[in-house]
Amino acid sequence: MTISVGDCIPNCTLAVMGGEGPAPVTTAELFNGKKALLFAVPGAFTPGCSMTHLPGYVANADTIKSHGVDSIICMSVNDAFVMGAWGRDNNATGSVRMMADGSAEFTKAVGMDLDLTERGLGVRSRRYSMLLDDGIIKTINLEDAPGGMEVSDADTMLDQV
Ligand code: BEZ
C-alpha cells in the first residue's frame, strides 16, 4: 500500500557514500526532529533525473532551506557508489544528500516500487517528492510516469515549504 499524508515514515536503513565507502543511515537519523524534503527518482544518471529533477533541487536548495527545511534528500534504488558519483557530477555536495536504497527496502515499505524490468532497469522507485515534519508526511507529489516531472519538481515544492 502506498504511504499517505499523515503517515509516519517507516524505519529503514539506507546508505550514503562517505570518505571511506558506503555508510549506513537510518530513516530515524534523517527525519526525526527535522523538517525534511525527500525526492525520489527512478534512476541516477537517467535523462529526466539528471537534466531536470536533481539540478532543480540543487539550484533551489538555499531558497528551500531559507523556508525552514533542514535537509533535502535525494533517493534512488541505486547503490551508494553510484549515488555518490551522481551527486558529485551535479554539484550536490552540501546542498542535497544523496541516499541509496540499493535493495529497495525503503521504496517497497512506502509502496513506491515500480517494476521497470522490461526496460532493463529492474525494480526502481516511482518519481515523487514529499515534505516531512518529524517523520510525518505533510505533502506527497507523485508522478504518473517515471519520466514525468509535473508535480515532483523543485518549483512545485517551493510553493509547499
Ligand atoms: C528519466 O529519467 O527520464 C527516466 C528514468 C527511468 C525510466 C524512464 C525515464
Side-chain angles (χ1 to χ4, degrees):
M1 200 175 71
T2 307
I3 203 159
S4 308
V5 168
D7 288 346
C8 189
I9 210 83
N11 289 319
C12 289
T13 301
L14 303 161
V16 68
M17 193 61 189
E20 299 183 3
V25 184
T26 64
T27 49
E29 289 172 73
L30 287 174
F31 299 112
N32 287 6
K34 293 179 187 134
K35 187 172 175 183
L37 190 165
L38 166 67
F39 69 100
V41 300
F45 293 104
T46 61
C49 309
S50 271
M51 289 192 291
T52 309
H53 214 179
L54 176 56
Y57 279 101
V58 171
N60 286 288
D62 287 345
T63 311
I64 289 169
K65 289 178 184 177
S66 76
H67 289 272
V69 173
D70 298 304
S71 61
I72 303 173
I73 297 153
C74 175
M75 184 175 305
S76 183
V77 180
N78 284 110
D79 62 69
F81 296 97
V82 166
M83 291 302 281
W86 191 38
R88 278 198 308 279
D89 220 48
N90 282 274
N91 299 313
T93 309
S95 57
V96 176
R97 301 188 72 184
M98 305 300 291
M99 290 294 147
D101 183 26
S103 300
E105 180 197 355
F106 176 87
T107 298
K108 288 178 180 169
V110 294
M112 292 291 189
D113 47 306
L114 174 67
D115 189 352
L116 293 175
T117 300
E118 281 187 5
R119 299 172 77 161
L121 294 163
V123 173
R124 295 298 179 107
S125 175
R126 295 183 70 184
R127 190 186 297 279
Y128 62 89
S129 63
M130 283 180 187
L131 190 65
L132 300 109
D133 193 0
D134 195 21
I136 307 292
I137 299 170
K138 297 294 172 189
T139 64
I140 302 181
N141 309 293
L142 178 59
E143 303 289 356
D144 288 332
M149 210 85 58
E150 309 299 321
V151 294
S152 64
D153 58 305
D155 283 343
T156 303
M157 200 36 113
L158 271 172
D159 292 333
Q160 298 177 6
V161 293

